[in-house]
Amino acid sequence: MLEVQHLTVSYRGVSAVEDVSFRLQPGQIVGAIGPNGAGKSTMVKAMLGLVPTASGVVKYRDRALKQQLNAVAYVPQRTQIDWDYPVTVWNVVMMARTRQTGWWREPNRQSKQIVATAIDRVGMWELRHRQIGELSGGQQQRVFLARSLAQEAELFFFDEPFVGIDKKTETIMFDVFSELKLQGKTLLVITHDLATTLIKCDRLLLLNRQLIANGSLKEVTTTANIQRAYGDSILLIRNSEFGIRN
Ligand SMILES: Nc1ncnc2c1ncn2[C@@H]1O[C@H](COP(=O)(O)OP(=O)(O)OP(=O)(O)O)[C@@H](O)[C@H]1O
Ligand SMILES: [Mg+2]
């Protein structure tokens, strides 16, 4: 079980994440939603120790998560990846293995097999020698999905994996998420309010700096909660966005 306790993150004295606490159980897909600038990306980065925290504790199986980062596969928001960096599909996915094998060593046969399987699973085998900058948005997202699979992690954090992807990528992504869930993995998926995504989540976290709600789709998407997170404007489109009735 992953446990976040009283997580607070500030950028130059202004809090982006404030006193957020929740738990994630194995075999669950948990969606994190909230408006732009709500602190969703910051929260995940702070959980991984990529940005300093003002306070709070993040534990996995009762030990600091930062001490066991091998257990976490993290796929950052697309905008945070340098797509001009000259690296092939194969090498991006192989990066998931270098922690085990050491970057200075030739990867062993097992690692190569795991990387090949992951690339094939996301339908990118034909393009494995392609530079990542020469792929479509959906293909790029699948490469990072493959990298997360090759890591053989227990926890998976995805930051807006559905942005700018095609139908084929969406289908592969949902299938892989379901497989991971069946394997008892824990998935935290930051997402924008797409009805399809939300329905596949077992639980939702609604954030706007603070954790406004934590529970099932029905429990979280009440008028009061949505208004607290998004303000009044969202109420007009709420029904069509969430695909639910009051
Ligand atoms: N490196 C940084 N330095 C200073 N402020 C930052 C930094 N990164 C994010 N912020 C600020 O922290 C707040 C939360 O940003 P964050 O990117 O975590 O939000 P988000 O919920 O992921 O938004 P989006 O939906 O747009 O991705 C915003 O006000 C943002 O401007
Ligand atoms: Mg973000």
Side-chain angles (χ1 to χ4, degrees):
M1 186 181 63
L2 180 84
E3 207 169 351
V4 174
Q5 295 167 353
H6 305 292
L7 188 67
T8 297
V9 185
S10 301
Y11 292 117
R12 295 184 214 97
V14 181
S15 67
V17 174
E18 203 174 291
D19 197 23
V20 167
S21 302
F22 60 88
R23 289 172 177 185
L24 302 181
Q25 305 290 352
Q28 280 197 340
I29 304 179
V30 178
I33 59 170
N36 291 128
K40 305 179 295 295
S41 298
T42 299
M43 176 185 83
V44 166
K45 286 189 226 167
M47 288 165 69
L48 296 166
L50 298 173
V51 294
T53 54
S55 61
V57 180
V58 182
K59 285 198 232 164
Y60 179 57
R61 297 187 164 158
D62 295 324
R63 285 199 301 129
L65 182 64
K66 269 188 264 183
Q67 307 303 320
Q68 27 180 352
L69 289 178
N70 257 341
V72 197
Y74 167 54
V75 178
Q77 206 164 346
R78 273 178 50 78
T79 50
Q80 291 169 357
I81 295 167
D82 177 7
W83 296 106
D84 294 326
Y85 190 80
V87 60
T88 62
V89 168
W90 176 272
N91 284 332
V92 167
V93 181
M94 185 53 86
M95 283 172 194
R97 306 298 312 167
T98 50
R99 270 213 199 99
Q100 274 93 333
T101 56
W103 55 265
W104 60 90
R105 268 195 224 130
E106 171 71 8
N108 62 24
R109 189 140 48 96
Q110 191 200 4
S111 276
K112 286 181 185 165
Q113 187 56 51
I114 288 167
V115 167
T117 305
I119 292 175
D120 191 47
R121 177 65 192 87
V122 302
M124 289 297 293
W125 182 250
E126 304 295 319
L127 297 176
R128 65 192 179 282
H129 300 306
R130 189 71 81 78
Q131 298 287 319
I132 55 162
E134 297 166 354
L135 300 172
S136 74
Q139 290 167 341
Q140 289 173 335
Q141 202 60 263
R142 275 188 269 150
V143 173
F144 276 80
L145 180 64
R147 188 180 74 158
S148 75
L149 293 176
Q151 201 184 318
E152 299 188 306
E154 292 162 49
L155 305 165
F156 290 77
F157 299 166
F158 295 97
D159 197 344
E160 307 223 7
F162 303 105
V163 171
I165 62 170
D166 50 297
K167 196 74 204 159
K168 179 178 176 184
T169 302
E170 187 185 286
T171 306
I172 291 173
M173 196 105 63
F174 279 137
D175 287 351
V176 169
F177 284 9
S178 302
E179 286 167 23
L180 292 171
K181 178 184 149 136
L182 281 175
Q183 291 165 20
K185 312 286 187 184
T186 305
L187 282 77
L188 178 62
V189 184
I190 297 176
T191 176
H192 267 278
D193 340 347
L194 303 165
T196 44
T197 321
L198 298 185
I199 284 158
K200 308 230 181 214
C201 292
D202 299 296
R203 264 180 44 217
L204 291 179
L205 305 173
L206 176 61
L207 288 150
N208 196 354
R209 250 174 1 110
Q210 298 169 329
L211 183 60
I212 290 171
N214 174 359
S216 67
L217 174 67
K218 207 164 162 234
E219 285 163 349
V220 167
T221 56
T222 64
T223 305
N225 285 340
I226 296 300
Q227 195 160 11
R228 249 185 92 197
Y230 292 89
D232 286 329
S233 56
I234 195 79
L235 292 177
L236 297 171
I237 52 166
R238 177 181 172 233
N239 286 350
S240 57
E241 279 279 304
F242 289 107
I244 51 172
R245 288 180 195 87
N246 281 314

